[in-house]
Amino acid sequence: MKIKLDSIRACLDGVIPGTIATCGADGTPNMAYLSQVQYVDAGHVALSYQFFNTTRRNILANPYARVAVIDPETAAHYRLTLQYLRTEQDGPLFEKMKAKLAGIASHTGMAGVFRLLGADVYRVLDIERVPGQTIAPPPPRGNLLAALRASAEQLCHCTELDGLLAQTLNCLELHFDIHYAMVLMLDAANGRLYTVASRGYAQSGVGSEIALGDGVIGVAAREKTPIRIGHFAAEYSYGRAIRDSLERSGVAPHLDTEIPLPGLPESRSQLAVPIRAGERVLGVLYVESPQDLRFGYDDEDALISLAGGLGAAIQLLQHAQVEPPDSTPAAARRHAPAGGPPVQVRHYAENDSVFLDGHYLIKGVAGAILWALVRDFADTGRSAFTNRELRLDPRIRLPDVSDNLEARLILLGRRLVEHQAPIRLDKTGRGCFELRVERPLELVHIPHGA
Amino acid sequence: MADPVPPILDDEHAAFVCGGVSISAASCRSGGLPNMARATGCRVSADRRSITILLAATPSAGLIDDVRRNGAIAVVFSLPANHRTLQFKGNDARIVPLEAGDQALVSRYVQAFAGGLELLGYSGPLIRSMLACPADDLTAICFTPSTAFSQTPGPEAGNALRSGS
């Protein structure tokens, strides 16, 4: 039976470095070690081009190569016959390999030496099983297809975004044995991703932001491709990504609006998968582990499928009809009048940041939403709102019509809870909520440039 | 008559290639298709002018066939602990009879190589399986290295070998 590339992907991650044999124009053979073999599709692999060396010279003169890879669990040995096709120097494949190489370089003490110049794409002409002794594979960690099925069944019962995100994180823990995860939504107009849900971290980090292109999450969103790293890589660690994005944003120092991104300080395995609806990236599902090589190609496949279902569900919920409150109309509900000392709500027009009693709460669209809500409450006593009217409210300036307002409201609601703020958003039905204010409000607006 | 050209390998190189290093060989079929095989031991002649690699014949059939046809070979030696890598090439490779002690040499080699990898966290049984060679399948290929290169990753990679590099 012909061996399929799909069935030997575990051999490609470089646990046991592969080797490549090539021939020069004069028939002189050459042998070199490979730091990675990237699976491209069922008929292609890509090899990292890092130095202009003999291998490189040879394949440009004579495109045929042989590559040996070894299964890191069974010692099964395969030889691939390859034909060089082209080199890619940017784009999804290049970025995938660049991130993976950073992990490998760091793990092998080659940080600063290994640098990806290109992704050399090869057609796989043949795969040969080399005769030799093997050992029995360890028992499988779990059945990813079964995990996916169980998750899909649970997710289809979710009727609103907040529950859908929470259930996704539950499923990762329960069915995939993944205990560190977060979901970030894309604010495409501003080129940033913001955290709406997380699991496993001491601080939820909800509201934290990362620029498109920063770290595995930012690159996955920008390139619309999964990014997976099997070892700690300083250049993809989030401490650095945040620092860099801070420097670039040039935010005035008095507006200290940074919420730290959650994340393992020395993450050893990272996998970021774009959440898509058709061609559009809605966000990123990110998982990580303190263990080396925790995620393989099969995990990547499973999470892409999970994220595919998640993207479709998010899209569907966004277009769901508004369902009015099930019981008493919101306007008729009466709360005890707010008592206690007033809470100062300070709003900076510059970036729509909102501070409660001097403590930073939120900024951007979610900040603008809160400011509009509290203004309406203060001016007219109104407390019942619908998502639909907020979407059309000119004060909120959604970056674009397709922006996920529900995600902004989740973010705002979580931040208020985490701050134990005397202002809360209570859901009263699908697409409807009530502003609950427990202390008198003192509103302070700081205009732009003030 | 004494050979005026000194051997490419110095004593240190000879000790390196005979140590617990990964050994892989490449050949070239007419038409430019390479073949490759992993070796399970190496010895260097007393005058350091020839290298003999030991390998299992069955998984190396393509390479052995090429060597018989044209004698061209490239052999790379790499120490996993520090990535130091040397490559030697020759044009006179030939299949030679095993010598007494070659089986023992292979056992010592597997011990040294697997031992080094175990220190780096690799599974010993896995590495020993990878290198396992039935006694009656062991074959020897001898060649005179005519060129040598340092292939340790970094700016020096690909440079012709100097003494001590």
Side-chain angles (χ1 to χ4, degrees), chain A residues 15 23 30 33 62 66 79 108, chain B residues 22 28 32 34-35 59 89 122:
Chain A
V15 177
C23 295
N30 189 72
Y33 284 88
N62 164 26
R66 275 218 163 94
R79 272 185 214 134
T108 54
Chain B
S22 169
C28 183
N35 268 304
K89 297 187 182 187
Y122 286 87

Side-chain angles (χ1 to χ4, degrees), chain A residues 360-404:
Chain A
Y360 171 66
L361 179 78
I362 196 80
K363 69 178 173 186
V365 173
I369 292 173
L370 179 61
W371 185 244
L373 297 177
V374 295
R375 282 298 301 268
D376 283 0
F377 179 84
D379 293 348
T380 67
R382 179 174 179 207
S383 65
F385 298 89
T386 68
N387 295 6
R388 180 183 289 173
E389 64 181 316
L390 287 179
R391 185 177 292 285
L392 301 174
D393 193 322
R395 293 173 295 177
I396 287 165
R397 299 188 303 274
L398 277 182
D400 75 78
V401 285
S402 61
D403 193 88
N404 199 312

Side-chain angles (χ1 to χ4, degrees), chain A residues 167-189:
Chain A
Q167 188 64 273
T168 301
L169 298 175
N170 283 345
C171 288
L172 287 174
E173 274 197 294
L174 198 63
H175 306 307
F176 291 89
D177 200 26
I178 291 173
H179 304 281
Y180 300 96
M182 51 183 119
V183 179
L184 298 95
M185 301 299 289
L186 177 64
D187 177 343

Side-chain angles (χ1 to χ4, degrees), chain A residues 184-188 191-194 212 221 281-284 403 408:
Chain A
L184 298 95
M185 301 299 289
L186 177 64
D187 177 343
R192 301 185 73 77
L193 293 130
Y194 56 96
L212 208 59
V281 171
L282 303 179
V284 168
D403 193 88
R408 311 279 189 176

Side-chain angles (χ1 to χ4, degrees), chain A residues 56-97:
Chain A
R56 179 93 193 146
R57 231 177 347 262
N58 285 357
I59 59 133
L60 294 178
N62 164 26
Y64 297 102
R66 275 218 163 94
V67 161
V69 292
I70 289 169
D71 188 305
E73 291 188 328
T74 67
H77 182 170
Y78 299 92
R79 272 185 214 134
L80 284 61
T81 306
L82 306 180
Q83 180 186 12
Y84 169 73
L85 298 178
R86 65 179 184 279
T87 299
E88 296 184 8
Q89 288 172 297
D90 54 27
L93 176 65
F94 178 84
E95 293 294 343
K96 254 194 273 215
M97 293 182 70

Side-chain angles (χ1 to χ4, degrees), chain B residues 64-155:
Chain B
I64 290 171
D65 193 35
D66 292 349
V67 163
R68 287 204 167 104
R69 286 164 194 263
N70 59 37
I73 198 165
V75 184
V76 70
F77 301 86
S78 182
L79 184 64
N82 63 8
H83 310 284
R84 183 186 178 202
T85 306
L86 302 180
Q87 179 154 201
F88 297 91
K89 297 187 182 187
N91 294 306
D92 66 346
R94 61 219 175 268
I95 315 303
V96 295
L98 293 177
E99 289 183 1
D102 277 348
Q103 290 289 355
L105 186 156
V106 167
S107 303
R108 283 197 306 276
Y109 165 77
V110 171
Q111 209 53 39
F113 183 49
L117 283 173
E118 276 177 301
L119 291 178
L120 298 178
Y122 286 87
S123 144
L126 182 89
I127 303 301
R128 276 183 272 274
S129 272
M130 191 177 96
L131 298 172
C133 171
D136 60 0
D137 204 27
L138 194 67
T139 303
I141 296 178
C142 177
F143 70 101
T144 309
S146 50
T147 50
F149 308 89
S150 164
Q151 271 180 247
T152 307

Side-chain angles (χ1 to χ4, degrees), chain A residues 411-428:
Chain A
L411 164 62
L412 174 57
R414 291 266 167 82
R415 288 290 293 166
L416 289 167
V417 170
E418 285 176 9
H419 266 247
Q420 301 178 318
I423 304 170
R424 297 296 169 95
L425 305 183
D426 292 336
K427 243 182 141 46
T428 51

